[in-house]
Structures are given as structure tokens and as C-alpha cells.
Amino acid sequence: MDSLLTVRDLQIQFQTKKGINTAVDGIGFSVGKGEILGIVGESGCGKSVTSLSILQLLGSNSIISQGSIQLEGRELLTLTEDEMCKIRGNEISMIFQDPMTALNPTMTIGDQLMEPLMIHQGYKKKDAWKEAVEVLKKVGIAAPEKRMKEYPHQLSGGMRQRVMIAMAVSCAPKLLIADEPTTALDVTIQAQILELMLELRQKMNTAIILITHDMGVVAETADNILVLYAGKVVEYGSVKDIFNNPRHPYTKGLLSSIPPLETDVEELNTIEGTVPAPGHMPAGCRFSPRCPYAKERCRSQQPGLYQAGNSKVCCFQYEDGQR
């Protein structure tokens, strides 16, 4: 599969009153054309920060201190703001977590949908209106002409999320970043949104980075999984390989916390402890304070990312590559 996006050794830091904190430390992955990559992990693991760095939408207190982000071989980190503006919404689009805050409450749905078409595709206003109506139809919104004249607060949560997807795909991007696209939606609407994204991949060959904490969603939609913990990659491989044979203790913990459908569950499995805050990372493996298999070496040294079968695992158990 041809590589569309390649991220290498990415390190992201934030300047705070107490000093510099590292939120993402040495992350690397690639996304092929038409591929869906699921990025999973608890809150605070660096999922959203990684996605925002691709579009250079991090705050002014952020520093990308090392690494590379390439779109079809073009280095994004060296581009000017004007050059990035031509890429955002055009070659790479993003669906944000909360459509109510991502959409402009003072603009109609129509104006917000027409804007990227007029800026990136050169549409005249009349043609942009027609195209925007067609895009709303594609994402399953009834009476699109009526919705074009309405404001975000007049729509339901599921409908706002569909509008966000319509905006994101209106310019037929090469890569779509979806940051928790089904958060706060009921189960029926979640299924519709995910099905819609799969249809877009199939029809437009759009690559998708799906950021979520829901392993079930990843199992249904993604080709490959990147498991993050405390700003580092702990496991990276295909959905089939990782779900059938999870290797890292953290990945095992995430999967074991999913309640089985076929049996009654009295008590859910949990991973004891919490993700360490930036600036308070343990000396060795970042998962060692919560790991039931941690040894003395784990608490003093950081493991590398080792090849284990078809996956890569950040755990000393796989240092020799035999397991």
C-alpha cells in the first residue's frame, strides 16, 4: 500500500509555568492511501495532540522539538502558515470531537459548507450552494436546502456531526482525521456515522485516522491500530494481529476491559492507576507503575519498540523478538 502520511520520531512539548512538558515522545506511524488507522488509548495519552500537530493547529505554547510529518513525501513541518492553509480542509480534513463548538454558531450551515468550496475549489457562490446541497445529501441529511439556511443550534447532535463530516469531505481530501467522531452520540447514530465514514473510504479512497478510546469501534472499522500510552507508542500492528494476539500489557488491559456480549458480567476488568501527567513521567517504562508484570529493569530503563510477529511492541518481554 502506497504511503500517504508518514510520521517519524515526533516529539511535542508544551511550555508551562512549571517548565517544559513533553506530551508526545518519539511517535512514528504511516497511513496508506485508503487505509483506516485507529489510534487508541486513555485520555491524556497524546491522541488528539498528535492529530492536531499534523495540521499544525497546536497552541502557541507548543513546540514540535523533533520529528517529521510528510504528506506524500512533502514535509509539513517546514511549510508556512499560508501553505498550510491550502492543505487544511483541502488535502487533509478533520472532524473534531464536539461539533457544537467546532461549528460557528453565528453562521448558517450553508455558509460554513460553501466556504471551503469557494476558497479551495474556486467555486462561485451559486455553484458552491448546489455542491453543498449535494454533499449534505451524501451524508444522509434530509431536506438539505432547508438545513442550509439553519444554524448549528437548530440541529440535533447527530445531524451536526453529519454536517461536520460534510464539511470535511466536501473538497475530497486525501486524508480525513476523525477525533472521537461518535462521542456523546447514541448507539444508533454512532453506527450510522461509522458506516458513513466507511462508505466515504470506499467511494473516494480517502485515508482515515480514527482517534478513539473505543476498541469496539476500531475492531469494526480500522485496518491497523496504534496504541498510545503517556505519549509513547506501546503497540502498533494490524487490527487482526493485535485483537487476536495482544502483546503489550496495556493493550491486553484495554481489550480485557471490553464486556463480552455472550455472557453476563458482574464486574468489569480495569487497569489500576491512572496515566501519568506530563512532567511526572516514571523513570523507566511509562506503564511500569500499573503493569502487573513489571520488573526492576522496567522501572529504571525505557524499552525500545521491538518487532514481535507482525506487530511492534514497546516491552522488554519482546526485546529478543522471539515471543
Side-chain angles (χ1 to χ4, degrees):
M1 186 180 288
D2 294 335
S3 180
L4 175 68
L5 182 80
T6 304
V7 176
R8 295 190 184 94
D9 199 25
L10 183 66
Q11 185 177 77
I12 304 170
Q13 299 177 316
F14 288 90
Q15 180 70 56
T16 69
K17 293 179 180 179
K18 295 182 179 180
I20 293 178
N21 288 336
T22 301
V24 167
D25 193 1
I27 283 179
F29 60 89
S30 63
V31 184
K33 295 177 181 177
E35 176 191 334
I36 298 180
L37 172 69
I39 301 182
V40 300
E42 296 167 273
S43 298
C45 283
K47 305 186 301 295
S48 295
V49 170
T50 300
S51 66
L52 290 170
S53 70
I54 295 169
L55 286 168
Q56 294 189 38
L57 291 175
L58 295 169
S60 58
N61 66 329
S62 66
I63 307 161
I64 298 181
S65 48
Q66 69 179 43
S68 169
I69 302 174
Q70 294 187 356
L71 180 68
E72 294 184 315
R74 188 184 186 190
E75 181 58 62
L76 299 184
L77 296 182
T78 59
L79 299 184
T80 64
E81 178 61 20
D82 287 344
E83 289 171 327
M84 277 305 301
C85 283
K86 294 176 182 177
I87 289 175
R88 295 186 197 116
N90 190 29
E91 295 185 62
I92 305 175
S93 288
M94 187 163 181
I95 303 169
F96 295 93
Q97 282 190 36
D98 185 357
M100 195 64 221
T101 56
L103 292 170
N104 189 330
T106 67
M107 292 175 65
T108 63
I109 299 301
D111 285 341
Q112 293 184 67
L113 276 168
M114 291 160 60
E115 188 175 57
L117 291 167
M118 295 167 71
I119 292 174
H120 294 303
Q121 304 293 314
Y123 278 75
K124 300 294 184 184
K125 192 169 184 179
K126 185 178 179 181
D127 294 329
W129 176 275
K130 291 180 181 177
E131 182 63 22
V133 169
E134 289 303 311
V135 175
L136 286 180
K137 288 180 182 176
K138 287 179 184 177
V139 299
I141 289 184
E145 291 88 354
K146 176 186 176 185
R147 302 304 180 195
M148 288 279 285
K149 299 174 184 177
E150 293 180 339
Y151 290 86
H153 72 272
Q154 295 176 274
L155 307 183
S156 67
M159 205 173 288
R160 286 196 294 267
Q161 194 64 292
R162 286 174 183 269
V163 169
M164 280 293 301
I165 294 174
M167 288 176 64
V169 303
S170 61
C171 295
K174 298 172 182 175
L175 174 65
L176 177 64
I177 302 172
D179 189 357
E180 302 277 8
T182 58
T183 296
L185 301 179
D186 65 57
V187 176
T188 304
I189 302 298
Q190 282 186 28
Q192 292 174 359
I193 295 297
L194 292 171
E195 185 179 351
L196 175 59
M197 291 173 63
L198 290 171
E199 286 178 12
L200 294 169
R201 189 266 287 265
Q202 186 175 9
K203 293 177 181 177
M204 301 167 63
N205 200 35
T206 300
I208 299 172
I209 294 177
L210 177 61
I211 298 166
T212 182
H213 60 269
D214 190 330
M215 297 295 280
V217 167
V218 171
E220 290 292 322
T221 57
D223 301 302
N224 294 306
I225 309 177
L226 185 76
V227 184
L228 298 184
Y229 182 78
K232 292 189 80 72
V233 176
V234 295
E235 193 159 357
Y236 181 32
S238 71
V239 165
K240 183 178 179 181
D241 194 44
I242 289 178
F243 270 79
N244 289 338
N245 186 20
R247 292 175 170 88
H248 196 279
Y250 181 61
T251 310
K252 292 177 181 179
L254 290 177
L255 290 174
S256 68
S257 66
I258 301 172
L261 295 177
E262 64 276 5
T263 58
D264 293 332
V265 178
E266 293 183 3
E267 186 176 346
L268 291 174
N269 291 317
T270 59
I271 305 173
E272 292 187 7
T274 57
V275 179
H280 297 86
M281 295 295 174
C285 171
R286 296 187 175 180
F287 188 62
S288 61
R290 306 174 70 186
C291 181
Y293 313 106
K295 299 177 180 178
E296 192 56 41
R297 185 187 182 191
C298 303
R299 297 184 177 91
S300 59
Q301 299 178 35
Q302 288 195 25
L305 198 60
Y306 309 115
Q307 193 72 39
N310 295 320
S311 300
K312 292 182 178 179
V313 189
C314 182
C315 181
F316 285 125
Q317 293 184 69
Y318 303 94
E319 188 175 15
D320 58 10
Q322 297 302 311
R323 300 194 182 193

